[in-house]
Amino acid sequence: MIMASEKTPLIRSGRPAEQRGASEQLDKATISTSKSKKQPKFNWLFLKRLHIVLRVAVPGLCSKSLLLLAVLILARSAEEYNYYQMGIIPSKFYLALTSKNIDIFKEALWKMAVIITSVCICKSGGELVAGLVYVRWRATITRYLHARYFSGITYYILNTTDQRIDNPDQRITQDVDRFCNQISQLLPKIIIQPFLIVYYSYRTFVGLGWYGVLGVYLFFALSTLINKFIMSPIVSVIFQQERKEGDFRFHHTQVRANAEAIAFYQGGENEREKANKLLRVLLKTQLKSVHWQFPLNFSVFMFDYASTVISYSLIGVAVFMGKYDNMSASDLASSVSMNSFFSLYLLNGFSKLVDTAVSFAEVAGFTHRLGELIEVLKEMEREDKKRCGSGDKEEESGGLEGMANKSQPSDCQLSLPGSAPPLLPKVSPACLETVAVVNNLTLSPPHSKHTLAQDLSFNFTKGCNILILGETGTGKTALLRVLRKLWKPVTGFAQLCCDGSHHYVMFLPQKTYLTSGSLASQHKLKRKGIRNDRASLCKPLKHSAL
């Protein structure tokens, strides 16, 4: 039923039966789309989406996000410098012990104590700054997504008619959190490790020769190729796992929100079956992820432990080829200790990059989901601007004014296809003002060719009661969705045209929604643009005898 009063035109929606028919077709479309859609992998698309997400996290060169990242990189760099100093100290101990020089031994002990203290300070400071980067980036990305997700009716479209992405709520909450937490730990390593590799490659070349550097690089190339081969399917599995997690969580959210209605229907058994079915699908995907983690972890651990053998093998080649024949036993022990550290740390630098394979596979899954969400939100924003531009041109042409000035009876009934005979009209005051115009409107559910109503033309006016009749699924609620810009019309248009229409026209959905917060929050939600001072809040309370 649709009513219009002299004070506040009231529009009340009926049962959304036509949306159920549309959702069935959308489910079929979603299944076919998901099958044909390429699975996300560790590829150029991942790098493109990672760049998109990082640009959101770091909006400018002067942003606090970039400043915190720079501080984090400096802290990690200081930590690596202290590791370098700690690595060459053992060579001092070897020299002092083999030569029985107590002065060198005391100096090495003193330096070691200072370096250990410095390492602890740098490492703790680095963890602190990494936590700050994580919180800052999460706030920046989430606010960016909120600004576009809650713009207009984007949240409605993504959760109902648009099937390009799944579980936008999970992407904005859980995926953003896990992405920021892991990337704050991984990004400094990825930035610093190339410089460390170049430096330790040079030191290894000086100590062991070209074959030492070549051996390390060949070892890393082999490990990278094997891990890249294993990583690609894991990224796809993690992407699917997060989708199944969202479906499972959403079902339990629905049960919590509709617990009383389910209890009245005694639908607990039915909901249990659905929950267990979603759980089985989720566990199947999780088991697939666990199985793929085994070869990846085996490869990572194998190359980690093999790096020590490779390091001593390269030193052995240098020693047996006579590179250190002119050194004394003390100098040889010191040199072997130092060069073994350089080659081991070069291998360690490569190993750290290899070790990030496990974590980066998860990051890649979150990156694809967030990048996909940002791409869809940007595309919807462009479509909305284009639609608003065409709407402005239509209004400038004077089309709405001409339609609004058309005469209409003070009371009317509109019969949709399949409706019962119209009821007798009620007597009401003359129409005072046009609230909305419907002109040559044809309705169809989104992504459906089924026509609900065709060539509708009439006006909503203040003081005129309008009763819409029709059987279930004939488009009564669909008409309100088009009028509220939730659905797009096939042809024609439906437009709220009175001044300040959003302030004076209220849509009452069949399912009542109460936002979180106080009574003032409910008043602000229902009456946008109205002052929320004490007087404006008390007036409706007194009017309703509360």
Side-chain angles (χ1 to χ4, degrees):
M1 180 178 180
I2 301 179
M3 302 187 307
S5 66
E6 296 183 1
K7 294 183 178 180
T8 303
L10 181 62
I11 300 179
R12 186 172 181 176
S13 63
R15 188 173 183 179
E18 61 270 36
Q19 191 178 27
R20 293 199 304 272
S23 64
E24 294 176 359
Q25 298 186 13
L26 288 174
D27 291 340
K28 296 178 182 178
T30 304
I31 294 173
S32 62
T33 303
S34 62
K35 290 181 179 179
S36 62
K37 194 173 182 179
K38 292 184 178 179
Q39 297 296 334
K41 295 182 179 180
F42 191 80
N43 50 19
W44 285 109
L45 179 60
F46 158 72
L47 295 177
K48 174 186 175 183
R49 287 176 171 170
L50 179 62
H51 177 256
I52 291 173
V53 178
L54 290 179
R55 284 195 64 182
V56 174
V58 185
L61 296 177
C62 300
S63 62
K64 291 183 180 179
S65 300
L66 184 59
L67 177 61
L68 284 173
L69 178 61
V71 174
L72 177 59
I73 293 174
L74 288 175
R76 296 303 189 195
S77 300
E79 186 180 333
E80 292 294 338
Y81 175 78
N82 283 283
Y83 287 153
Y84 166 78
Q85 294 295 331
M86 185 180 292
I88 62 177
I89 284 293
S91 64
K92 302 292 183 181
F93 281 110
Y94 278 110
L95 180 61
L97 294 173
T98 53
S99 63
K100 298 181 180 181
N101 191 323
I102 191 170
D103 293 331
I104 297 177
F105 185 77
K106 290 180 179 179
E107 181 183 358
L109 282 177
W110 178 81
K111 285 185 177 180
M112 180 64 78
V114 174
I115 291 172
I116 289 176
T117 304
S118 180
V119 166
C120 294
I121 294 174
C122 292
K123 193 172 182 64
S124 301
E127 293 298 324
L128 172 64
V129 179
L132 295 176
V133 170
Y134 153 64
V135 173
R136 182 74 188 184
W137 284 20
R138 184 183 183 186
T140 303
I141 295 175
T142 305
R143 285 169 181 158
Y144 175 90
L145 295 175
H146 280 177
R148 284 149 183 80
Y149 182 69
F150 292 108
S151 174
I153 57 169
T154 302
Y155 58 90
Y156 169 82
I157 297 174
L158 287 180
N159 284 289
T160 55
T161 60
D162 195 295
Q163 300 295 317
R164 284 175 286 184
I165 60 172
D166 61 278
N167 302 310
D169 57 323
Q170 183 191 19
R171 299 185 188 223
I172 295 174
T173 55
Q174 180 178 310
D175 291 352
V176 171
D177 173 66
R178 297 175 68 178
F179 171 82
C180 294
N181 187 26
Q182 294 192 24
I183 202 69
S184 64
Q185 300 291 337
L186 295 177
L187 200 56
K189 295 179 183 179
I190 297 172
I191 295 175
I192 295 174
Q193 286 305 316
F195 297 98
L196 294 177
I197 289 172
V198 170
Y199 176 75
Y200 284 106
S201 297
Y202 168 74
R203 297 304 299 261
T204 302
F205 173 77
V206 172
L208 301 179
W210 62 269
Y211 52 85
V213 178
L214 181 62
V216 173
Y217 275 67
L218 289 176
F219 178 78
F220 171 71
L222 178 63
S223 64
T224 301
L225 289 175
I226 294 177
N227 284 302
K228 171 64 174 65
F229 174 77
I230 301 174
M231 277 178 61
S232 292
I234 292 181
V235 174
S236 176
V237 171
I238 291 175
F239 184 92
Q240 294 298 327
Q241 179 181 332
E242 292 303 317
R243 171 178 291 179
K244 306 305 180 186
E245 288 279 5
D247 294 340
F248 183 62
R249 180 193 52 77
F250 179 75
H251 179 75
H252 279 278
T253 303
Q254 288 288 89
V255 172
R256 183 183 67 180
N258 302 280
E260 183 175 338
I262 295 172
F264 273 117
Y265 285 122
Q266 295 185 346
E269 183 65 22
N270 182 56
E271 297 303 322
R272 181 185 66 83
E273 293 178 0
K274 289 183 178 179
N276 286 338
K277 182 178 179 181
L278 291 171
L279 179 62
R280 285 194 298 270
V281 175
L282 170 60
L283 293 179
K284 183 179 179 180
T285 308
Q286 282 186 325
L287 284 175
K288 191 175 181 180
S289 175
V290 170
H291 292 156
W292 271 107
Q293 289 287 349
F294 171 77
L296 180 59
N297 288 330
F298 176 82
S299 174
V300 170
F301 295 150
M302 175 63 72
F303 285 113
D304 278 350
Y305 291 118
S307 61
T308 304
V309 179
I310 296 296
S311 174
Y312 283 111
S313 299
L314 295 174
I315 293 175
V317 171
V319 171
F320 296 129
M321 288 181 64
K323 188 175 180 63
Y324 303 111
D325 289 346
N326 58 344
M327 290 186 179
S328 63
S330 299
D331 291 337
L332 177 60
S334 176
S335 180
V336 167
S337 174
M338 184 176 296
N339 286 314
S340 65
F341 166 72
F342 291 147
S343 60
L344 274 174
Y345 212 82
L346 176 58
L347 283 167
N348 180 64
F350 285 122
S351 297
K352 285 182 178 179
L353 291 179
V354 174
D355 288 343
T356 58
V358 178
S359 299
F360 218 73
E362 294 185 9
V363 170
F366 300 138
T367 301
H368 277 294
R369 289 174 61 80
L370 293 179
E372 189 179 40
L373 175 60
I374 293 174
E375 290 170 354
V376 171
L377 289 175
K378 286 184 176 180
E379 184 177 349
M380 294 178 68
E381 189 176 20
R382 288 193 296 267
E383 293 174 355
D384 188 56
K385 288 181 179 178
K386 187 182 299 184
R387 185 167 58 252
C388 290
S390 61
D392 292 340
K393 292 180 180 179
E394 189 178 50
E395 290 185 9
E396 289 175 2
S397 64
L400 279 179
E401 292 182 4
M403 297 300 169
N405 290 330
K406 286 184 177 180
S407 60
Q408 178 175 302
S410 60
D411 294 302
C412 65
Q413 295 186 2
L414 175 65
S415 297
L416 295 177
S419 63
L423 302 177
L424 293 176
K426 297 181 180 180
V427 179
S428 67
C431 299
L432 302 176
E433 181 183 338
T434 300
V435 177
V437 173
V438 176
N439 183 50
N440 295 329
L441 183 65
T442 300
L443 302 174
S444 290
H447 311 287
S448 173
K449 296 181 179 179
H450 175 63
T451 301
L452 298 173
Q454 191 171 1
D455 297 331
L456 297 178
S457 297
F458 58 93
N459 294 348
F460 288 121
T461 54
K462 279 187 178 182
C464 297
N465 298 325
I466 299 179
L467 178 64
I468 298 180
L469 301 176
E471 294 181 355
T472 301
T474 55
K476 301 184 298 298
T477 306
L479 175 61
L480 300 185
R481 293 193 183 109
V482 173
L483 190 62
R484 198 50 159 158
K485 305 297 184 184
L486 304 184
W487 286 9
K488 296 179 182 178
V490 178
T491 59
F493 65 88
Q495 178 74 45
L496 294 172
C497 58
C498 65
D499 294 334
S501 58
H502 288 86
H503 299 166
Y504 300 108
V505 177
M506 180 181 293
F507 288 74
L508 293 184
Q510 184 176 6
K511 183 178 179 180
T512 304
Y513 171 67
L514 296 177
T515 186
S516 58
S518 62
L519 184 61
S521 301
Q522 316 304 324
H523 189 258
K524 182 179 180 181
L525 172 70
K526 306 301 188 297
R527 302 294 299 275
K528 293 183 179 180
I530 304 299
R531 293 183 298 111
N532 274 324
D533 54 17
R534 185 175 180 83
S536 61
L537 291 174
C538 291
K539 186 176 180 180
L541 293 177
K542 292 179 179 179
H543 182 72
S544 56
L546 294 176

